[in-house]
Amino acid sequence: MELEKYEAWRKRLASSQLRRWEELPELNLYIDQLIAVINDRCASLGVSPITKSMINNYVKKGVIMAPVKKKYSRYQVAAVMVIALLKNIYPLTAIKEALDQLTINDYPQAMYNRFVEHFNALLLGETAPQGHVNPGNDELLRLAAKPLTNGCYQLSYWKR
């Protein structure tokens, strides 16, 4: 019985792939729309939801850029997605430092897509294909994604 539950959970988890940059909303989003997009994807992964106050805190602490005319761009959507996934494992200051470090030598789009490649591959128990980003950054992205797929959310998600 437990093995069947586990296998069903693994199938659900494997189908909960993160969206690549190109698949994120193209139009700028208001905060409620941003929250809906992030929480929709994170719920299928067993990640606790984000709130308006959390996003406002991320802006206030400089972890993400402030919205322009109360709208959030694709860049901010990607950043909040990564923060939402990592917030229960790493301190916010470490996430901010990592985001800053990763985008020094490589474009945010490339970094986000590479994180998604590592994350999605790890969900499926595979290795991500060869990437085209700085090797040090690539390893940092792989290490950040690994605990997310190696059990951090497994128990709470599996028991549902």
Side-chain angles (χ1 to χ4, degrees):
M1 181 66 162
E2 292 297 312
L3 184 58
E4 291 171 7
K5 281 184 183 180
Y6 176 76
E7 289 302 322
W9 169 79
R10 287 293 297 167
K11 286 180 184 176
R12 278 194 316 269
L13 195 58
S15 67
S16 300
Q17 302 285 299
L18 288 181
R19 295 180 183 151
R20 294 179 53 82
W21 182 279
E22 301 79 19
E23 299 168 308
L24 295 175
E26 200 170 313
L27 299 172
N28 293 340
L29 305 174
Y30 288 105
I31 194 166
D32 290 332
Q33 296 168 315
L34 171 65
I35 290 169
V37 166
I38 301 298
N39 287 342
D40 177 60
R41 183 56 47 188
C42 287
S44 64
L45 296 168
V47 177
S48 60
I50 60 165
T51 63
K52 281 184 185 182
S53 61
M54 292 167 87
I55 292 175
N56 289 332
N57 189 39
Y58 302 154
V59 170
K60 188 168 116 179
K61 292 188 175 196
V63 181
I64 64 169
M65 294 183 304
V68 176
K69 296 182 182 179
K70 297 185 179 184
K71 289 187 175 182
Y72 294 83
S73 69
R74 189 181 282 179
Y75 173 82
Q76 291 152 311
V77 173
V80 173
M81 178 64 74
V82 170
I83 294 166
L85 291 168
L86 299 176
K87 68 181 170 48
N88 291 328
I89 301 171
Y90 302 105
L92 193 56
T93 54
I95 296 170
K96 180 187 181 330
E97 289 171 6
L99 290 174
D100 291 345
Q101 176 63 36
L102 289 169
T103 55
I104 287 175
N105 297 320
D106 289 300
Y107 292 106
Q109 178 179 352
M111 290 294 93
Y112 176 78
N113 279 342
R114 191 62 183 150
F115 175 79
V116 167
E117 288 171 0
H118 280 297
F119 184 88
N120 289 343
L122 288 165
L123 277 181
L124 299 171
E126 300 171 356
T127 302
Q130 187 66 28
H132 301 288
V133 299
N134 175 300
N137 286 350
D138 194 51
E139 182 63 9
L140 180 60
L141 291 167
R142 188 188 68 76
L143 290 172
K146 190 168 178 141
L148 296 170
T149 58
N150 274 354
C152 292
Y153 299 109
Q154 290 183 6
L155 294 178
S156 63
Y157 189 78
W158 183 31
K159 292 180 180 179
R160 291 182 181 181

